[in-house]
Amino acid sequence: MLEQSYYDKTDEIIAMHGAFTASLIPIIQDIQNEYRYLAPELLAYVAEKLGISEAKAYSVATFYENFSFEPKGKYVIKVCDGTACHVRKSIPILERLYSELGLSKTKVTTDDMLFTLETVSCLGACGLAPVLTVNDKVYPKMTPDDAAALIQELRGEA
């Protein structure tokens, strides 16, 4: 069960967009931006407030890859493994990040909720390969050592 403050904030977001079926996507985007994930309880709450079924709300939220039902870390790192990045050795970067963060393909978020590590098929920056992003900020021409240094820098900011 979530704290009341989550529902209060969700009510603010709904009021901002209007309680219309057409507002579902912007509402759940704003909820995810606020909490770094889409809590299932809030999705059900939004569905009720908009007068749609939970099944409809879930079908929308699961259709789009951008929505996550699992909490994410403060820093979401996306390592590109598209063709250009893969050829320019993105996998050693990913492996170094797994090692630095104590993560794996099955454990993608650190226990302290500071980092989430994901792989993506393309970040649309092929000329900068290999590339990764941290909270949508692009880091071009990365190496495993660059990635490890970036993690240390981000830890210092936290």
Side-chain angles (χ1 to χ4, degrees), residues 61-127:
T62 58
F63 178 79
Y64 294 102
E65 192 174 307
N66 188 48
F67 293 114
S68 173
F69 292 104
E70 297 295 322
K72 293 189 178 194
K74 176 180 179 182
Y75 300 108
V76 178
I77 302 168
K78 295 180 181 180
V79 177
C80 182
D81 194 34
T83 303
C85 288
H86 187 85
V87 166
R88 292 188 179 128
K89 307 214 182 303
S90 62
I91 295 303
I93 296 167
L94 180 64
E95 290 170 350
R96 180 71 174 270
L97 288 170
Y98 280 145
S99 175
E100 290 286 324
L101 298 170
L103 297 175
S104 67
K105 288 180 182 178
T106 56
K107 182 182 191 303
V108 298
T109 300
T110 57
D111 292 336
D112 62 4
M113 297 301 293
L114 199 53
F115 297 99
T116 295
L117 181 58
E118 301 174 342
T119 57
V120 295
S121 298
C122 185
L123 289 169
C126 302

Side-chain angles (χ1 to χ4, degrees), residues 4-76:
Q4 184 60 42
S5 63
Y6 284 75
Y7 296 99
D8 294 343
K9 182 63 179 178
T10 298
D11 285 337
E12 289 176 27
I13 292 169
I14 292 169
M16 185 172 65
H17 292 285
F20 308 108
T21 303
S23 300
L24 176 63
I25 292 174
I27 289 168
I28 61 179
Q29 283 175 321
D30 284 357
I31 292 169
Q32 180 161 292
N33 287 340
E34 180 73 23
Y35 299 112
R36 297 193 304 268
Y37 81 111
L38 186 56
E41 300 93 331
L42 292 181
L43 186 59
Y45 183 76
V46 168
E48 180 183 330
K49 290 288 187 176
L50 299 185
I52 61 174
S53 69
E54 275 187 57
K56 170 103 172 149
Y58 270 93
S59 72
V60 170
T62 58
F63 178 79
Y64 294 102
E65 192 174 307
N66 188 48
F67 293 114
S68 173
F69 292 104
E70 297 295 322
K72 293 189 178 194
K74 176 180 179 182
Y75 300 108
V76 178

